[in-house]
């Protein structure tokens, strides 16, 4: 597999405070969907800011496609990475949905006639094509997040980072974004997605889960293995996915199900066979 992000011995602290991240190292591969989870204060949002160079590490290095992330390379690297933040109100720049999706394209000097086609295409991809003339005040939180995602997708970037992008949404909005990420990955297998999230259900649907605990990598593996020990997860302030809880209860009764089952729909289908 082709390595697209490499983090080496990364450490960070705010001024003289305790280290938020302490000697963190991991790699992410092209086309992976990786979720980063951890309790509040574990360092996951700080890591998102370091990956997008909003913050600079105190120690260690980050490489994007073998190019070190620093002040000299950031302009080039930002042509590869897009980030969706947790507060949808803070990232809506345009006066309408259409203007907001077009913002990044305008910065890249895309011709007007071509821009309209691109905006229409990506608004449709995220289900916002009927809202192009709507203002931010007329949209829900989930809809604003979809607009932000459309704006990044329209730039045809290689890497998308979601920094707690569902933490301020209602359950319906969370489900919207979760399903949209899965659809994006299905449509573009080469797109690399990193989701810093508190959503355990989303983490279970990803290719790989990295758990941060007290500023260090606690686990880094496929979801089924990461969440295999419910008691261990509780000890670090995390839960396990609902579908896995049901599978564990069924296992106690002698019903062993496929470890690849990721959601309730798949579980119900398997039990009906």
């Amino acid at each position: 597999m082709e390595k697209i992000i490499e983090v080496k011995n990364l450490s960070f602290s705010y001024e003289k405070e305790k280290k938020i991240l302490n000697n963190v190292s991991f790699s992410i591969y092209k086309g992976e969907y990786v979720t980063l989870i951890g309790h509040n204060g574990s360092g996951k949002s700080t890591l998102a800011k370091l990956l997008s160079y909003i913050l600079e590490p105190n120690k260690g290095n980050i490489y994007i496609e073998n190019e070190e992330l620093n002040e000299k390379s950031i302009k080039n690297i930002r042509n590869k990475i897009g980030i969706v933040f947790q507060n949808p109100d803070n990232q809506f720049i345009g006066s309408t949905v259409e203007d907001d999706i077009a913002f990044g394209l305008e910065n890249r000097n895309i011709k007007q006639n071509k821009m309209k086609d691109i905006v229409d295409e990506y608004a449709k991809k995220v289900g916002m094509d009927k809202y192009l003339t709507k203002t931010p005040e007329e949209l829900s939180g989930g809809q604003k997040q979809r607009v932000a995602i459309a704006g990044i997708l329209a730039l045809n970037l290689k890497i998308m980072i979601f920094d707690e992008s569902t933490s301020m949404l209602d359950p319906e909005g969370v489900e919207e974004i979760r399903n949209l990420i899965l659809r994006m990955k299905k449509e573009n297998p080469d797109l690399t997605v990193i989701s810093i999230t508190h959503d355990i259900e989303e983490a279970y649907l990803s290719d790989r889960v990295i758990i941060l605990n007290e500023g260090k990598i606690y686990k880094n593996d496929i979801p089924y293995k990461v969440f295999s020990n419910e008691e261990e997860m509780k000890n670090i302030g995390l839960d396990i996915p609902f579908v896995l809880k049901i599978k564990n209860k069924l296992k106690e009764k002698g019903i062993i199900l496929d470890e690849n089952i990721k959601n309730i729909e798949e579980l119900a289908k398997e039990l009906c066979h």
Side-chain angles (χ1 to χ4, degrees):
M1 292 176 74
E2 182 184 339
K3 199 178 288 183
I4 195 164
I5 294 176
E6 187 172 14
V7 174
K8 288 186 175 181
N9 309 118
L10 198 68
S11 293
F12 181 84
S13 60
Y14 294 95
E15 296 179 354
K16 294 181 180 179
E17 293 181 17
K18 175 185 172 185
K19 281 185 180 177
I20 305 296
L21 294 170
N22 188 5
N23 205 35
V24 168
S25 297
F26 63 90
S27 298
I28 292 174
Y29 297 89
K30 181 180 177 181
E32 266 198 306
Y33 172 18
V34 177
T35 45
L36 281 144
I37 64 173
H39 57 77
N40 289 339
S42 61
K44 57 187 188 295
S45 280
T46 298
L47 183 55
K49 291 177 175 66
L50 289 163
L51 288 170
S52 52
Y53 207 65
I54 294 169
L55 295 174
E56 291 184 57
N58 301 140
K59 180 186 173 186
N61 310 91
I62 299 171
Y63 298 90
I64 311 294
E65 290 194 311
N66 298 314
E67 183 177 12
E68 186 174 358
L69 179 61
N70 54 40
E71 197 172 332
K72 290 181 179 178
S73 66
I74 185 57
K75 187 175 181 181
N76 181 47
I77 288 175
R78 281 200 175 136
N79 288 324
K80 301 175 184 180
I81 294 180
I83 184 164
V84 180
F85 295 102
Q86 59 181 302
N87 190 338
D89 292 315
N90 290 347
Q91 56 197 340
F92 205 106
I93 298 166
S95 56
T96 65
V97 168
E98 185 174 31
D99 291 341
D100 199 72
I101 298 173
F103 181 79
L105 297 170
E106 288 173 343
N107 287 342
R108 291 190 172 192
N109 298 315
I110 303 297
K111 291 182 180 178
Q112 199 71 32
N113 58 340
K114 189 177 180 182
M115 192 189 303
K116 180 70 169 69
D117 292 339
I118 295 172
V119 169
D120 289 346
E121 177 188 352
Y122 286 96
K124 189 171 184 179
K125 278 184 184 290
V126 301
M128 292 299 292
D129 49 312
K130 294 178 181 177
Y131 299 85
L132 287 172
T133 59
K134 298 291 185 184
T135 63
E137 294 75 21
E138 298 175 276
L139 304 177
S140 68
Q143 288 172 328
K144 289 174 191 173
Q145 288 293 47
R146 282 194 272 163
V147 173
I149 293 167
I152 292 172
L153 288 175
L155 299 175
N156 199 25
L157 304 172
K158 296 181 178 183
I159 303 163
M160 286 189 69
I161 299 174
F162 294 84
D163 180 14
E164 304 253 25
S165 58
T166 60
S167 65
M168 299 184 72
L169 303 182
D170 58 24
E172 185 179 351
V174 171
E175 189 72 16
E176 278 181 18
I177 302 306
R178 191 189 296 158
N179 291 336
L180 178 55
I181 292 172
L182 292 171
R183 194 165 73 246
M184 281 163 37
K185 284 297 298 137
K186 190 175 181 180
E187 291 174 358
N188 184 2
D190 286 339
L191 177 67
T192 303
V193 172
I194 304 163
S195 181
I196 289 86
T197 184
H198 63 289
D199 184 354
I200 300 298
E201 306 303 325
E202 179 196 346
Y204 200 55
L205 297 172
S206 65
D207 299 323
R208 184 156 53 99
V209 180
I210 297 174
I211 295 181
L212 283 171
N213 185 48
E214 296 183 353
K216 294 185 176 182
I217 301 286
Y218 183 76
K219 282 184 179 286
N220 181 358
D221 212 327
I222 61 172
Y224 185 77
K225 289 184 178 179
V226 165
F227 295 112
S228 60
N229 189 322
E230 185 172 0
E231 195 62 36
E232 184 183 20
M233 290 296 99
K234 286 181 179 177
N235 287 339
I236 60 167
L238 296 175
D239 204 349
I240 67 169
F242 181 63
V243 68
L244 194 52
K245 288 183 179 182
I246 296 175
K247 286 166 71 176
N248 288 344
K249 290 293 183 185
L250 291 170
K251 189 176 180 180
E252 290 173 7
K253 297 180 181 296
I255 302 171
I256 310 297
L257 297 173
D258 189 338
E259 66 179 47
N260 293 315
I261 291 173
K262 293 288 189 79
N263 56 48
I264 294 298
E265 290 75 17
E266 291 176 0
L267 180 66
K269 189 176 179 181
E270 182 74 11
L271 288 172
C272 288
H273 281 170

